[in-house]
Each structure stands twice: as structure tokens, then as C-alpha cells.
Amino acid sequence: MRQFQASFIGIGAQKCASTWLYGVLQQCPEVFVSDEKEVDFFSYYFDRGYEWYERNFASETAHQHRGEISPSYFIHADAPARAAAYNPNLHVFVTLRDPIKRAFSNHLHEARKGHISGVNLTFETALDNNPLYRDQGRYATHLSRWMDHFPREQIHVMFQEEILADRATMARQATDILGLKPLDDFLDLKANESVRYRNAAVGETLWKVGSYARRHGMGRLVETVKSAPGIKQMRNANRESMRDAVVPMAADTEAALTDYYAKEVTQLEALIKRPVPWERFRATETA
């Protein structure tokens, strides 16, 4: 293994708690994660070569593991083969959630970023505007490509629903996978909320300061400051929930997407050899 070769990657899917996983691994002293969460090497920047990629993990301090998390890898057709050629022993973390909730969260994200406007702020119209809303939820199709290139014991599937139910246990699962000591003081980070800032400059500045502090071991201080009287009120006053700004998904759209994903969910369960925690698909199976 080269000096700074990655030993793990997170591949998404998008809007499925990958930022939470990044935050967990960032807290592990034996792990070096890239400063930028999404390096996107095996998808968008493969032409830059391994040396460029491994600069993201360069450190004078010895670490048991190095890696990064890029949700773009999950659906990229070439990423599995590229990653396997780079290091066939990679641990591959996969985070998934109910594909219909994922699609709507994707929609809120695009609205928050300003990538869509007008009629496309309506989810039903946006489904036609952005085919990836649907495609990224075809979990079995995309995961099977990764299983063609990596042994199943190196692919670790985690569900966002299980993370929300017991964050500490799921954090312990992540550290156990990498053979690390459990975190003594696990800092439970809630990231990527579907909110936008009324004053974008203030919001971005606070985010950058917090991100820098967490990377330098001051995560607990950041969370304490965020909860302090005055600071908490200022942050809340500058935030608007995207769920208040975007019309909810229509019931018939939700039903149609349930039918659309039903076969994929059945195939996913066969791939990972365990049931998924999405009750809507239980009803589909018994109907």
C-alpha cells in the first residue's frame, strides 16, 4: 500500500446520511478523512490520477485508515471498476433510505441550491425535469455493479432510518467495521438539514467556521456555542425550512413511485440478504 492510499470510501446514495457518516469518521483519531467530504475522484476527476487523489489524505501523522465520501460514486457506471483497480481491499460504505423520501429530499436540495425555479419547484414537474430524482433510488441496480467488483464482506450497507433510531449504535457499527476503538465522546451531528439561509453570506460564514473547527477537534465547542442563548436564536432567525417553501408530494405521485421502486426493493433485499426498514414496501409485498 502506498503511503497515503485510501482504505475506505463512502459511495452514497445522495441525501442518505453520508454527511453524518463523514462526521463520525472525522471524529476518529485513527482515521484521516479528506478536508472536502466529496472528492469525486472515481466519478468526475479520475483523469487527475492517483497522486492528486492521495493528496487529499496526505498527513505527517500516522493513521490506521484514510478515505473520503462521495455520493456521486453510487450511480456512476465506471466508479466501481475504477475503485477496485485502485485498491481492491477498500471498505465500501453505502448509506440508503426510503427511495421516495430520498427523491423528495433531493428535490428540496435542488430548490435550496437555486438549481430549479418556477414550475419545477413542484415535485411532479421536477421529476421530468431531473431524471436522476428517480434513477438514484434504483438501489439494487447501482449496488449490483459494486458487488460485481468488491466482495460482499467489504460492502457495508447502513440505513438512514436505523441511524435516526439509534445514532450511537450506528456510529459504533462504523468504527467496528474499520477495526477502530469506539468513540469515547461521540458527538451526534445532524447535518444537511433541508433549510436555506435568509442571509446567505451569514449562513455560509457560520458553516465554514463550524466546519473548520470540527476538523481541528473542536466539534464539542461548536455544538455548545450553537446552543448558547442569542446564538441559537440568531441561527434560527436566519433559517427557513425548505419544507415550508416547497409544496409536498401528491399522494398519487407517492403511490406511483412506490410501484416504480417495488421490484428494486425486492432485489435489494436479495442482494444484502436482509429486509429494508421501509414499511410502505411491506404493504406492496402483501397486496
Side-chain angles (χ1 to χ4, degrees):
M1 177 177 281
R2 292 182 300 276
Q3 185 180 7
F4 301 130
Q5 187 174 28
S7 59
F8 73 86
I9 55 173
I11 65 173
Q14 186 185 34
K15 309 309 296 177
C16 293
S18 61
T19 301
W20 176 86
L21 179 61
Y22 174 82
V24 170
L25 296 175
Q26 196 177 43
Q27 294 177 60
C28 300
E30 309 98 322
V31 175
F32 191 100
V33 293
S34 57
D35 284 347
E36 291 291 332
K37 174 198 157 205
E38 299 180 22
V39 179
D40 292 325
F41 174 64
F42 297 113
S43 51
Y44 307 142
Y45 303 121
F46 194 63
D47 60 324
R48 298 184 181 183
Y50 295 162
E51 178 187 349
W52 176 86
Y53 182 53
E54 291 174 358
R55 285 178 194 162
N56 290 278
F57 320 119
S59 168
E60 295 180 0
T61 306
H63 291 87
Q64 185 176 340
H65 288 284
R66 299 170 192 268
E68 49 97 12
I69 296 176
S70 297
S72 64
Y73 295 163
F74 185 62
I75 65 170
H76 197 284
D78 295 327
R82 290 171 175 178
Y86 169 75
N87 182 1
N89 297 314
L90 281 171
H91 287 280
V92 180
F93 287 95
V94 186
T95 49
L96 304 175
R97 71 189 289 191
D98 179 320
I100 300 171
K101 292 183 178 180
R102 192 224 67 81
F104 193 72
S105 181
N106 194 163
H107 178 58
L108 296 178
H109 175 80
E110 296 303 311
R112 179 172 66 86
K113 289 289 188 179
H115 296 164
I116 54 177
S117 61
V119 296
N120 287 321
L121 289 173
T122 301
F123 180 68
E124 284 69 24
T125 307
L127 278 172
D128 294 329
N129 175 67
N130 190 336
L132 284 183
Y133 280 16
R134 285 189 181 91
D135 184 62
Q136 291 194 76
R138 296 170 59 230
Y139 299 149
T141 296
H142 302 308
L143 185 59
S144 63
R145 285 197 297 267
W146 285 90
M147 289 187 168
D148 286 342
H149 291 88
F150 286 92
R152 296 192 179 208
E153 60 269 20
Q154 288 172 222
I155 297 178
H156 314 291
V157 177
M158 307 172 78
F159 293 111
Q160 178 170 311
E161 291 82 1
E162 294 173 348
I163 292 169
L164 292 175
D166 192 341
R167 294 171 184 266
T169 294
M170 297 306 291
R172 174 67 181 268
Q173 184 179 120
T175 55
D176 284 351
I177 285 167
L178 296 178
L180 305 173
K181 295 182 295 184
L183 289 166
D184 293 330
D185 184 24
F186 167 58
L187 182 58
D188 182 20
L189 301 175
K190 298 177 177 63
N192 263 9
E193 298 173 275
S194 295
V195 298
R196 64 183 172 190
Y197 299 105
R198 293 185 170 91
N199 186 318
V202 171
E204 184 176 358
T205 299
L206 290 173
W207 181 86
K208 287 181 177 178
V209 170
S211 181
Y212 176 86
R214 290 187 186 95
R215 288 200 304 270
H216 292 81
M218 295 181 285
R220 181 64 65 185
L221 176 62
V222 170
E223 296 306 306
T224 300
V225 171
K226 282 169 58 178
S227 300
I231 299 295
K232 184 176 181 179
Q233 285 80 354
M234 181 188 71
R235 291 180 69 247
N236 289 340
N238 193 41
R239 291 146 62 93
E240 177 187 16
S241 171
M242 293 306 300
R243 294 183 184 275
D244 295 334
V246 174
V247 176
M249 182 189 314
D252 58 346
T253 303
E254 189 170 352
L257 287 175
T258 302
D259 290 341
Y260 177 81
Y261 287 123
K263 184 177 179 181
E264 283 278 342
V265 169
T266 299
Q267 292 172 339
L268 174 65
E269 291 179 324
L271 280 175
I272 65 176
K273 302 187 186 312
R274 64 183 174 114
V276 300
W278 309 323
E279 288 302 318
R280 72 171 86 235
F281 294 103
R282 301 278 79 75
T284 301
E285 290 175 0
T286 58

